[in-house]
Coordinates of all heavy atoms in Angstrom, one line a residue:
F1 N -127.5 -144.2 -146.3 CA -128.1 -144.9 -147.4 C -129.6 -144.8 -147.3 O -130.2 -145.2 -146.3 CB -127.6 -146.4 -147.4 CG -128.2 -147.2 -148.5 CD1 -127.8 -147.0 -149.8 CD2 -129.1 -148.2 -148.2 CE1 -128.4 -147.8 -150.8 CE2 -129.6 -149.1 -149.2 CZ -129.2 -148.9 -150.5
A2 N -130.2 -144.4 -148.3 CA -131.7 -144.2 -148.3 C -132.5 -145.4 -148.6 O -133.7 -145.4 -148.5 CB -132.0 -143.1 -149.3
G3 N -131.9 -146.5 -148.8 CA -132.6 -147.8 -149.1 C -132.6 -148.0 -150.6 O -132.5 -147.1 -151.4
G4 N -132.7 -149.3 -151.0 CA -132.7 -149.7 -152.4 C -132.5 -151.1 -152.6 O -132.9 -152.0 -151.7
I5 N -131.8 -151.4 -153.7 CA -131.5 -152.8 -154.0 C -130.1 -153.0 -154.4 O -129.5 -152.1 -155.1 CB -132.4 -153.2 -155.3 CG1 -133.9 -153.1 -155.0 CG2 -132.1 -154.6 -155.7 CD1 -134.8 -153.4 -156.2
V6 N -129.5 -154.1 -153.9 CA -128.1 -154.4 -154.4 C -128.4 -155.6 -155.3 O -129.1 -156.5 -155.0 CB -127.2 -154.8 -153.2 CG1 -127.6 -156.0 -152.4 CG2 -125.8 -155.1 -153.8
K7 N -127.8 -155.5 -156.5 CA -127.9 -156.6 -157.5 C -126.5 -157.1 -157.8 O -125.5 -156.4 -157.9 CB -128.5 -156.1 -158.8 CG -129.9 -155.6 -158.7 CD -130.4 -155.1 -160.0 CE -131.8 -154.5 -159.9 NZ -132.3 -154.0 -161.2
L8 N -126.4 -158.5 -157.9 CA -125.1 -159.1 -158.2 C -125.3 -160.2 -159.2 O -126.4 -160.8 -159.2 CB -124.4 -159.5 -157.0 CG -125.1 -160.3 -155.9 CD1 -124.4 -161.6 -155.5 CD2 -125.3 -159.5 -154.7
Q9 N -124.4 -160.4 -160.0 CA -124.4 -161.6 -160.9 C -123.6 -162.7 -160.3 O -122.5 -162.5 -159.8 CB -123.8 -161.2 -162.3 CG -124.5 -160.1 -163.0 CD -125.8 -160.7 -163.6 OE1 -125.9 -161.8 -164.0 NE2 -126.9 -159.9 -163.5
V10 N -124.1 -163.9 -160.3 CA -123.5 -165.0 -159.6 C -123.5 -166.3 -160.4 O -124.5 -166.6 -161.0 CB -124.2 -165.3 -158.2 CG1 -123.6 -166.5 -157.5 CG2 -124.2 -164.1 -157.3
I11 N -122.4 -167.0 -160.3 CA -122.4 -168.4 -160.7 C -122.0 -169.2 -159.4 O -121.0 -168.8 -158.8 CB -121.4 -168.8 -161.8 CG1 -121.8 -168.1 -163.1 CG2 -121.2 -170.3 -162.0 CD1 -120.8 -168.3 -164.2
A12 N -122.8 -170.1 -159.0 CA -122.6 -170.9 -157.8 C -122.5 -172.4 -158.2 O -123.6 -173.1 -158.2 CB -123.6 -170.6 -156.7
S13 N -121.4 -172.9 -158.6 CA -121.2 -174.3 -159.0 C -121.0 -175.1 -157.8 O -119.9 -175.7 -157.6 CB -120.1 -174.4 -160.0 OG -120.0 -175.7 -160.5
V14 N -122.0 -175.2 -156.9 CA -121.9 -175.9 -155.7 C -123.2 -176.8 -155.5 O -124.2 -176.5 -156.1 CB -121.8 -175.0 -154.5 CG1 -120.5 -174.2 -154.6 CG2 -123.0 -174.0 -154.4
L15 N -123.0 -177.9 -154.8 CA -124.1 -178.8 -154.6 C -124.0 -179.4 -153.2 O -123.0 -180.0 -152.9 CB -124.1 -180.0 -155.7 CG -124.6 -179.6 -157.1 CD1 -124.2 -180.8 -158.0 CD2 -126.0 -179.3 -157.1
P16 N -125.1 -179.4 -152.4 CA -125.1 -180.1 -151.2 C -125.1 -181.6 -151.4 O -125.5 -182.0 -152.5 CB -126.5 -179.7 -150.5 CG -126.9 -178.5 -151.3 CD -126.3 -178.6 -152.6
P17 N -124.5 -182.4 -150.6 CA -124.0 -182.0 -149.3 C -122.6 -181.5 -149.3 O -122.0 -181.2 -148.3 CB -124.1 -183.3 -148.5 CG -123.8 -184.4 -149.5 CD -124.4 -183.9 -150.8
S18 N -121.9 -181.4 -150.5 CA -120.5 -181.0 -150.6 C -120.4 -179.5 -150.2 O -119.5 -179.2 -149.4 CB -120.0 -181.2 -152.0 OG -120.0 -182.6 -152.3
D19 N -121.2 -178.7 -150.8 CA -121.0 -177.2 -150.5 C -122.2 -176.4 -150.8 O -123.1 -176.9 -151.6 CB -119.8 -176.7 -151.2 CG -119.6 -177.2 -152.7 OD1 -120.6 -177.7 -153.2 OD2 -118.6 -177.0 -153.3
I20 N -122.3 -175.2 -150.3 CA -123.4 -174.3 -150.6 C -122.9 -172.9 -150.5 O -121.8 -172.6 -150.0 CB -124.6 -174.4 -149.6 CG1 -124.2 -174.2 -148.1 CG2 -125.3 -175.8 -149.6 CD1 -125.3 -174.1 -147.1
F21 N -123.6 -172.0 -151.1 CA -123.3 -170.6 -151.1 C -124.4 -169.8 -150.5 O -125.6 -169.9 -151.0 CB -122.9 -170.1 -152.5 CG -122.7 -168.6 -152.6 CD1 -121.6 -168.1 -152.0 CD2 -123.5 -167.8 -153.3 CE1 -121.3 -166.7 -152.1 CE2 -123.2 -166.4 -153.4 CZ -122.1 -165.9 -152.8
I22 N -124.1 -168.9 -149.5 CA -125.1 -168.2 -148.8 C -124.7 -166.7 -148.8 O -123.5 -166.4 -148.6 CB -125.4 -168.7 -147.4 CG1 -125.8 -170.1 -147.4 CG2 -126.4 -167.8 -146.7 CD1 -126.0 -170.8 -146.0
V23 N -125.7 -165.8 -149.0 CA -125.5 -164.4 -148.9 C -126.2 -163.9 -147.7 O -127.4 -164.2 -147.5 CB -126.0 -163.6 -150.1 CG1 -125.7 -162.1 -150.0 CG2 -125.3 -164.1 -151.4
Y24 N -125.5 -163.2 -146.8 CA -126.1 -162.6 -145.6 C -126.2 -161.1 -145.7 O -125.3 -160.5 -146.1 CB -125.3 -163.0 -144.3 CG -125.3 -164.5 -144.0 CD1 -124.2 -165.3 -144.5 CD2 -126.2 -165.1 -143.2 CE1 -124.2 -166.6 -144.3 CE2 -126.2 -166.4 -143.0 CZ -125.1 -167.2 -143.5 OH -125.1 -168.6 -143.2
V25 N -127.3 -160.5 -145.2 CA -127.4 -159.1 -145.1 C -127.7 -158.8 -143.6 O -128.6 -159.3 -143.0 CB -128.6 -158.5 -145.9 CG1 -128.7 -157.0 -145.7 CG2 -128.3 -158.8 -147.4
D26 N -126.7 -158.1 -143.0 CA -126.8 -157.8 -141.5 C -127.0 -159.0 -140.7 O -127.7 -159.1 -139.7 CB -128.0 -156.8 -141.3 CG -127.8 -155.5 -142.1 OD1 -126.6 -155.1 -142.3 OD2 -128.8 -154.9 -142.4
G27 N -126.3 -160.1 -141.1 CA -126.3 -161.3 -140.3 C -127.4 -162.3 -140.5 O -127.5 -163.4 -140.0
E28 N -128.4 -161.9 -141.4 CA -129.5 -162.7 -141.7 C -129.4 -163.3 -143.1 O -129.0 -162.6 -144.0 CB -130.8 -161.9 -141.6 CG -131.1 -161.3 -140.3 CD -131.5 -162.4 -139.2 OE1 -132.1 -163.4 -139.6 OE2 -131.1 -162.2 -138.1
Q29 N -129.7 -164.5 -143.3 CA -129.6 -165.2 -144.6 C -130.6 -164.5 -145.6 O -131.8 -164.4 -145.3 CB -130.0 -166.7 -144.5 CG -129.8 -167.4 -145.9 CD -130.0 -168.9 -145.7 OE1 -129.5 -169.5 -144.8 NE2 -130.7 -169.4 -146.7
A30 N -130.0 -164.0 -146.7 CA -130.8 -163.3 -147.7 C -131.0 -164.1 -149.0 O -131.9 -163.9 -149.7 CB -130.2 -161.9 -148.0
A31 N -130.0 -165.0 -149.2 CA -130.1 -165.8 -150.4 C -129.2 -167.0 -150.2 O -128.2 -167.0 -149.6 CB -129.6 -165.0 -151.7
Q32 N -129.7 -168.2 -150.8 CA -128.9 -169.4 -150.8 C -128.9 -169.9 -152.2 O -130.0 -170.0 -152.8 CB -129.5 -170.4 -149.8 CG -128.7 -171.7 -149.9 CD -129.2 -172.7 -148.8 OE1 -129.4 -172.4 -147.7 NE2 -129.4 -174.0 -149.3
L33 N -127.7 -170.1 -152.8 CA -127.6 -170.6 -154.2 C -126.9 -171.9 -154.3 O -125.8 -172.0 -153.6 CB -126.9 -169.5 -155.0 CG -127.7 -168.2 -155.0 CD1 -126.9 -167.1 -154.3 CD2 -128.0 -167.8 -156.4
V34 N -127.5 -172.8 -155.0 CA -126.8 -174.1 -155.4 C -127.1 -174.4 -156.8 O -128.1 -174.0 -157.3 CB -127.3 -175.2 -154.4 CG1 -126.9 -175.0 -153.0 CG2 -128.7 -175.5 -154.6
D35 N -126.1 -175.0 -157.5 CA -126.3 -175.5 -158.8 C -126.7 -174.4 -159.8 O -127.6 -174.6 -160.6 CB -127.3 -176.7 -158.9 CG -127.1 -177.5 -160.2 OD1 -126.0 -177.5 -160.8 OD2 -128.1 -178.2 -160.6
V36 N -126.1 -173.2 -159.7 CA -126.3 -172.1 -160.6 C -125.1 -172.1 -161.6 O -124.0 -171.7 -161.2 CB -126.4 -170.8 -159.9 CG1 -126.6 -169.6 -160.9 CG2 -127.5 -170.8 -158.9
Q37 N -125.3 -172.6 -162.8 CA -124.3 -172.9 -163.8 C -124.1 -171.8 -164.8 O -123.2 -171.8 -165.6 CB -124.5 -174.2 -164.5 CG -124.5 -175.4 -163.5 CD -123.3 -175.6 -162.7 OE1 -122.2 -175.3 -163.1 NE2 -123.5 -176.0 -161.4
E38 N -125.0 -170.8 -164.8 CA -124.9 -169.6 -165.7 C -125.1 -168.4 -164.9 O -125.6 -168.4 -163.8 CB -126.0 -169.7 -166.8 CG -125.9 -170.9 -167.7 CD -126.9 -170.9 -168.8 OE1 -127.6 -169.9 -169.0 OE2 -127.0 -171.9 -169.5
W39 N -124.5 -167.2 -165.4 CA -124.6 -166.0 -164.7 C -126.1 -165.7 -164.4 O -127.0 -165.7 -165.3 CB -124.0 -164.8 -165.5 CG -122.5 -164.9 -165.5 CD1 -121.8 -165.2 -166.6 CD2 -121.7 -164.6 -164.4 NE1 -120.4 -165.2 -166.2 CE2 -120.3 -164.8 -164.9 CE3 -121.8 -164.3 -163.1 CZ2 -119.2 -164.7 -164.1 CZ3 -120.7 -164.1 -162.3 CH2 -119.4 -164.3 -162.8
T40 N -126.4 -165.5 -163.1 CA -127.8 -165.2 -162.7 C -127.8 -164.0 -161.8 O -126.9 -163.8 -160.9 CB -128.3 -166.4 -161.9 OG1 -128.2 -167.6 -162.7 CG2 -129.7 -166.2 -161.4
E41 N -128.8 -163.1 -162.0 CA -128.9 -161.9 -161.2 C -129.6 -162.2 -159.9 O -130.6 -162.9 -159.9 CB -129.7 -160.8 -161.9 CG -129.7 -159.5 -161.1 CD -130.4 -158.4 -161.9 OE1 -131.7 -158.3 -161.8 OE2 -129.7 -157.6 -162.5
V42 N -129.0 -161.7 -158.8 CA -129.5 -161.9 -157.5 C -129.8 -160.5 -156.9 O -128.9 -159.8 -156.6 CB -128.6 -162.7 -156.6 CG1 -129.2 -162.8 -155.2 CG2 -128.2 -164.1 -157.1
P43 N -131.1 -160.1 -156.8 CA -131.4 -158.8 -156.2 C -131.7 -159.0 -154.7 O -132.4 -159.9 -154.3 CB -132.7 -158.4 -157.0 CG -133.3 -159.7 -157.4 CD -132.2 -160.7 -157.5
L44 N -131.2 -158.1 -153.9 CA -131.5 -158.1 -152.5 C -132.0 -156.7 -152.1 O -131.3 -155.7 -152.3 CB -130.2 -158.4 -151.8 CG -129.5 -159.7 -152.1 CD1 -128.1 -159.8 -151.5 CD2 -130.3 -160.9 -151.7
Q45 N -133.1 -156.7 -151.4 CA -133.7 -155.4 -150.9 C -132.9 -155.0 -149.7 O -132.6 -155.8 -148.8 CB -135.2 -155.6 -150.5 CG -136.2 -155.6 -151.6 CD -136.3 -154.3 -152.2 OE1 -136.4 -154.2 -153.4 NE2 -136.4 -153.2 -151.5
L46 N -132.6 -153.7 -149.6 CA -131.9 -153.1 -148.5 C -132.8 -151.9 -148.0 O -133.0 -150.9 -148.7 CB -130.6 -152.6 -148.9 CG -129.6 -153.6 -149.4 CD1 -128.3 -152.9 -149.9 CD2 -129.3 -154.6 -148.3
P47 N -133.2 -152.0 -146.7 CA -133.9 -150.8 -146.2 C -133.0 -149.7 -145.9 O -131.7 -149.8 -146.0 CB -134.5 -151.4 -144.9 CG -133.7 -152.5 -144.5 CD -133.1 -153.1 -145.8
P48 N -133.5 -148.5 -145.6 CA -132.6 -147.4 -145.3 C -131.6 -147.7 -144.1 O -132.0 -148.4 -143.2 CB -133.6 -146.2 -144.9 CG -134.9 -146.6 -145.5 CD -134.9 -148.1 -145.5
G49 N -130.5 -147.1 -144.2 CA -129.5 -147.2 -143.1 C -128.2 -148.0 -143.6 O -128.2 -148.5 -144.7
P50 N -127.2 -148.1 -142.7 CA -126.0 -148.9 -143.1 C -126.3 -150.4 -143.0 O -127.2 -150.9 -142.3 CB -125.0 -148.5 -142.0 CG -125.9 -148.1 -140.8 CD -127.2 -147.5 -141.4
H51 N -125.5 -151.1 -143.8 CA -125.7 -152.6 -143.9 C -124.3 -153.2 -144.1 O -123.4 -152.6 -144.6 CB -126.6 -152.9 -145.1 CG -128.0 -152.4 -145.0 ND1 -128.9 -152.9 -144.2 CD2 -128.5 -151.3 -145.5 CE1 -130.0 -152.2 -144.2 NE2 -129.8 -151.2 -145.1
R52 N -124.3 -154.5 -143.7 CA -123.2 -155.4 -144.0 C -123.6 -156.5 -144.8 O -124.6 -157.2 -144.4 CB -122.6 -155.9 -142.6 CG -121.4 -156.8 -142.8 CD -120.9 -157.3 -141.5 NE -120.0 -158.4 -141.8 CZ -118.8 -158.5 -141.1 NH1 -118.5 -157.7 -140.1 NH2 -118.0 -159.5 -141.4
I53 N -123.0 -156.8 -145.9 CA -123.3 -157.9 -146.8 C -122.1 -158.9 -146.7 O -120.9 -158.5 -147.0 CB -123.5 -157.5 -148.2 CG1 -124.7 -156.5 -148.2 CG2 -123.8 -158.7 -149.1 CD1 -125.0 -155.9 -149.6
D54 N -122.4 -160.2 -146.4 CA -121.3 -161.2 -146.3 C -121.7 -162.3 -147.3 O -122.8 -162.7 -147.4 CB -121.3 -161.8 -144.9 CG -120.8 -160.8 -143.8 OD1 -119.7 -160.3 -144.0 OD2 -121.6 -160.6 -142.9
F55 N -120.6 -162.8 -148.0 CA -120.7 -163.9 -148.9 C -120.1 -165.1 -148.2 O -118.9 -165.0 -147.8 CB -120.1 -163.6 -150.2 CG -120.6 -162.3 -150.9 CD1 -119.9 -161.1 -150.8 CD2 -121.8 -162.3 -151.5 CE1 -120.4 -160.0 -151.4 CE2 -122.3 -161.2 -152.1 CZ -121.6 -160.0 -152.0
S56 N -120.8 -166.2 -148.2 CA -120.2 -167.4 -147.5 C -120.3 -168.7 -148.3 O -121.4 -169.1 -148.6 CB -121.1 -167.6 -146.2 OG -120.6 -168.8 -145.5
Y57 N -119.1 -169.2 -148.7 CA -119.0 -170.5 -149.3 C -118.8 -171.5 -148.2 O -117.8 -171.3 -147.4 CB -117.8 -170.5 -150.3 CG -117.5 -171.9 -150.8 CD1 -118.2 -172.5 -151.8 CD2 -116.5 -172.6 -150.1 CE1 -117.8 -173.8 -152.2 CE2 -116.2 -173.9 -150.5 CZ -116.9 -174.5 -151.6 OH -116.6 -175.8 -152.0
Q58 N -119.6 -172.5 -148.1 CA -119.5 -173.4 -146.9 C -119.3 -174.8 -147.5 O -120.1 -175.3 -148.3 CB -120.8 -173.4 -146.1 CG -121.0 -172.0 -145.5 CD -122.3 -171.9 -144.6 OE1 -122.9 -172.9 -144.3 NE2 -122.7 -170.7 -144.3
Y59 N -118.2 -175.4 -147.1 CA -117.9 -176.8 -147.5 C -118.3 -177.8 -146.5 O -118.0 -177.6 -145.3 CB -116.4 -176.8 -147.8 CG -115.9 -178.2 -148.3 CD1 -116.2 -178.6 -149.6 CD2 -115.3 -179.1 -147.5 CE1 -115.8 -179.8 -150.1 CE2 -114.9 -180.3 -147.9 CZ -115.1 -180.7 -149.2 OH -114.7 -181.9 -149.7
N60 N -118.9 -178.9 -146.9 CA -119.3 -180.0 -146.1 C -120.0 -179.5 -144.8 O -119.8 -179.9 -143.7 CB -118.1 -180.9 -145.7 CG -118.6 -182.2 -145.2 OD1 -119.8 -182.6 -145.2 ND2 -117.6 -183.0 -144.7
V61 N -121.0 -178.6 -145.0 CA -121.7 -178.0 -143.9 C -122.5 -179.0 -143.1 O -122.8 -178.8 -141.9 CB -122.7 -176.9 -144.5 CG1 -123.8 -177.5 -145.3 CG2 -123.2 -176.0 -143.3
F62 N -122.8 -180.2 -143.7 CA -123.6 -181.2 -143.0 C -122.7 -182.2 -142.3 O -123.2 -183.2 -141.6 CB -124.6 -181.9 -143.9 CG -125.5 -180.9 -144.6 CD1 -125.3 -180.6 -145.9 CD2 -126.5 -180.3 -143.9 CE1 -126.2 -179.8 -146.6 CE2 -127.3 -179.4 -144.5 CZ -127.2 -179.1 -145.8
G63 N -121.4 -182.1 -142.4 CA -120.4 -183.0 -141.8 C -120.5 -184.5 -142.3 O -120.2 -185.4 -141.6
V64 N -120.8 -184.6 -143.6 CA -120.9 -185.9 -144.2 C -119.5 -186.5 -144.4 O -118.6 -185.9 -144.9 CB -121.6 -185.9 -145.6 CG1 -121.6 -187.2 -146.3 CG2 -123.0 -185.3 -145.4
D65 N -119.3 -187.8 -143.9 CA -118.0 -188.4 -144.1 C -118.2 -189.9 -144.4 O -118.8 -190.6 -143.6 CB -117.2 -188.3 -142.8 CG -115.8 -188.8 -142.9 OD1 -115.3 -188.8 -144.0 OD2 -115.3 -189.3 -141.8
P66 N -117.8 -190.3 -145.5 CA -117.1 -189.6 -146.6 C -118.2 -188.9 -147.5 O -119.3 -189.3 -147.5 CB -116.4 -190.6 -147.4 CG -117.2 -191.9 -147.3 CD -117.8 -191.8 -145.9
L67 N -117.8 -187.8 -148.2 CA -118.7 -187.2 -149.1 C -118.9 -188.0 -150.3 O -118.0 -188.7 -150.8 CB -118.1 -185.8 -149.6 CG -118.2 -184.7 -148.6 CD1 -117.3 -183.5 -149.0 CD2 -119.6 -184.2 -148.4
P68 N -120.1 -188.0 -150.9 CA -120.4 -188.8 -152.1 C -119.6 -188.2 -153.3 O -119.2 -187.0 -153.2 CB -121.9 -188.7 -152.3 CG -122.3 -187.4 -151.6 CD -121.3 -187.3 -150.4
L69 N -119.5 -189.0 -154.3 CA -118.8 -188.4 -155.5 C -119.6 -187.3 -156.1 O -120.9 -187.3 -156.1 CB -118.7 -189.5 -156.6 CG -117.8 -190.7 -156.3 CD1 -117.8 -191.7 -157.4 CD2 -116.3 -190.2 -156.1
S70 N -118.9 -186.3 -156.6 CA -119.6 -185.1 -157.1 C -119.9 -185.3 -158.6 O -119.2 -185.9 -159.3 CB -118.7 -183.9 -157.0 OG -118.5 -183.5 -155.7
P71 N -121.1 -184.8 -159.0 CA -121.4 -184.8 -160.4 C -120.5 -183.9 -161.2 O -119.9 -183.0 -160.7 CB -122.8 -184.3 -160.5 CG -123.1 -183.6 -159.2 CD -122.1 -184.1 -158.2
P72 N -120.3 -184.2 -162.5 CA -119.3 -183.5 -163.3 C -119.5 -182.0 -163.4 O -118.6 -181.2 -163.6 CB -119.3 -184.2 -164.6 CG -120.5 -185.0 -164.7 CD -120.9 -185.2 -163.2
Q73 N -120.8 -181.5 -163.3 CA -121.0 -180.1 -163.4 C -120.6 -179.3 -162.2 O -120.5 -178.1 -162.3 CB -122.5 -179.8 -163.8 CG -123.5 -179.9 -162.6 CD -124.1 -181.3 -162.4 OE1 -123.6 -182.3 -162.9 NE2 -125.2 -181.4 -161.7
R74 N -120.4 -179.9 -161.0 CA -120.0 -179.2 -159.8 C -118.5 -178.9 -159.9 O -117.7 -179.8 -160.0 CB -120.3 -180.1 -158.6 CG -119.9 -179.4 -157.3 CD -119.9 -180.3 -156.1 NE -119.1 -179.7 -155.0 CZ -117.8 -179.9 -154.8 NH1 -117.2 -180.7 -155.6 NH2 -117.2 -179.3 -153.8
E75 N -118.2 -177.6 -159.8 CA -116.8 -177.2 -159.8 C -116.4 -176.8 -158.4 O -115.2 -176.6 -158.1 CB -116.6 -176.0 -160.7 CG -116.9 -176.3 -162.1 CD -116.5 -175.2 -163.1 OE1 -115.4 -174.6 -162.9 OE2 -117.4 -174.9 -163.9
G76 N -117.3 -176.7 -157.4 CA -116.9 -176.4 -156.0 C -116.4 -174.9 -155.9 O -115.4 -174.7 -155.2
A77 N -117.0 -174.0 -156.7 CA -116.5 -172.7 -156.7 C -117.7 -171.7 -156.9 O -118.8 -172.1 -157.4 CB -115.5 -172.4 -157.8
V78 N -117.5 -170.4 -156.5 CA -118.5 -169.4 -156.7 C -117.8 -168.2 -157.4 O -116.7 -167.8 -157.0 CB -119.1 -169.0 -155.4 CG1 -120.1 -167.8 -155.6 CG2 -119.8 -170.2 -154.7
W79 N -118.5 -167.6 -158.3 CA -118.1 -166.4 -159.0 C -119.1 -165.3 -158.8 O -120.3 -165.5 -158.9 CB -117.8 -166.6 -160.5 CG -116.7 -167.5 -160.8 CD1 -115.4 -167.2 -161.1 CD2 -116.8 -168.9 -160.9 NE1 -114.7 -168.3 -161.3 CE2 -115.5 -169.4 -161.2 CE3 -117.8 -169.9 -160.7 CZ2 -115.3 -170.8 -161.4 CZ3 -117.6 -171.2 -160.9 CH2 -116.3 -171.7 -161.2
I80 N -118.6 -164.1 -158.4 CA -119.5 -162.9 -158.2 C -119.0 -161.8 -159.1 O -117.8 -161.5 -159.1 CB -119.5 -162.5 -156.7 CG1 -119.9 -163.6 -155.8 CG2 -120.4 -161.2 -156.5 CD1 -119.7 -163.4 -154.3
D81 N -119.9 -161.1 -159.8 CA -119.5 -160.1 -160.7 C -120.6 -159.0 -160.7 O -121.8 -159.3 -160.3 CB -119.3 -160.6 -162.1 CG -118.5 -159.7 -163.0 OD1 -118.0 -158.7 -162.5 OD2 -118.3 -160.0 -164.2
S82 N -120.3 -157.9 -161.2 CA -121.3 -156.8 -161.5 C -122.2 -156.5 -160.3 O -123.4 -156.5 -160.3 CB -122.2 -157.1 -162.7 OG -121.4 -157.3 -163.8
V83 N -121.5 -156.1 -159.2 CA -122.3 -155.7 -158.0 C -122.7 -154.3 -158.1 O -121.8 -153.4 -158.3 CB -121.4 -155.9 -156.7 CG1 -122.2 -155.5 -155.5 CG2 -121.0 -157.4 -156.6
V84 N -124.0 -154.0 -158.0 CA -124.5 -152.7 -158.2 C -125.5 -152.4 -157.1 O -126.4 -153.2 -156.8 CB -125.3 -152.6 -159.6 CG1 -125.9 -151.2 -159.8 CG2 -124.3 -152.9 -160.8
I85 N -125.4 -151.2 -156.6 CA -126.4 -150.7 -155.5 C -127.2 -149.6 -156.1 O -126.7 -148.6 -156.6 CB -125.7 -150.2 -154.3 CG1 -124.8 -151.4 -153.6 CG2 -126.7 -149.7 -153.3 CD1 -124.0 -151.0 -152.5
E86 N -128.5 -149.8 -156.1 CA -129.4 -148.8 -156.7 C -130.3 -148.2 -155.6 O -130.9 -148.9 -154.8 CB -130.4 -149.5 -157.7 CG -129.7 -150.1 -158.9 CD -130.7 -150.8 -159.8 OE1 -131.8 -151.0 -159.5 OE2 -130.2 -151.2 -160.9
N87 N -130.2 -146.9 -155.4 CA -131.0 -146.2 -154.4 C -132.5 -146.1 -154.9 O -132.7 -146.1 -156.1 CB -130.5 -144.8 -154.2 CG -129.2 -144.8 -153.5 OD1 -128.9 -145.6 -152.6 ND2 -128.3 -143.9 -153.8
I88 N -133.4 -146.0 -153.9 CA -134.8 -145.8 -154.3 C -135.0 -144.4 -154.6 O -134.5 -143.5 -154.1 CB -135.7 -146.2 -153.1 CG1 -135.4 -147.6 -152.6 CG2 -137.1 -146.1 -153.5 CD1 -136.3 -148.0 -151.4

């Protein structure tokens, strides 16, 4: 891979302290999304070479007990679509 950008469309209907959504590139946090209620493009720079991209939905990451009531817009879910890798 000569390097470039990976672009993805995301809805992340999550809210701390209940849940969060994190994208990792090669084990490093590249993006954290919360309260994204419409399709949003997330571009991530990738240098030359092989890479690993991990998507992580994390529930109650802060160990809150009991969790507060969720607002009505929180669905506790993440949607990913239109993943595109563009070379430089």
Side-chain angles (χ1 to χ4, degrees):
F1 178 69
I5 298 173
V6 61
K7 295 179 181 178
L8 47 132
Q9 296 288 323
V10 176
I11 294 175
S13 185
V14 297
L15 286 170
S18 297
D19 42 15
I20 59 175
F21 175 64
I22 301 175
V23 181
Y24 295 93
V25 176
D26 301 328
E28 299 291 326
Q29 182 174 319
Q32 178 175 312
L33 297 112
V34 296
D35 199 22
V36 179
Q37 302 300 326
E38 296 183 13
W39 288 108
T40 301
E41 183 175 86
V42 178
L44 305 169
Q45 281 291 137
L46 298 176
H51 299 282
R52 177 181 169 140
I53 299 173
D54 293 302
F55 303 102
S56 177
Y57 168 85
Q58 299 177 13
Y59 181 76
N60 196 10
V61 69
F62 304 108
V64 177
D65 185 29
L67 282 168
L69 292 177
S70 291
Q73 77 269 19
R74 180 191 163 269
E75 295 186 48
V78 175
W79 293 266
I80 302 170
D81 198 6
S82 301
V83 177
V84 176
I85 298 174
E86 297 177 351
N87 289 325
I88 307 179

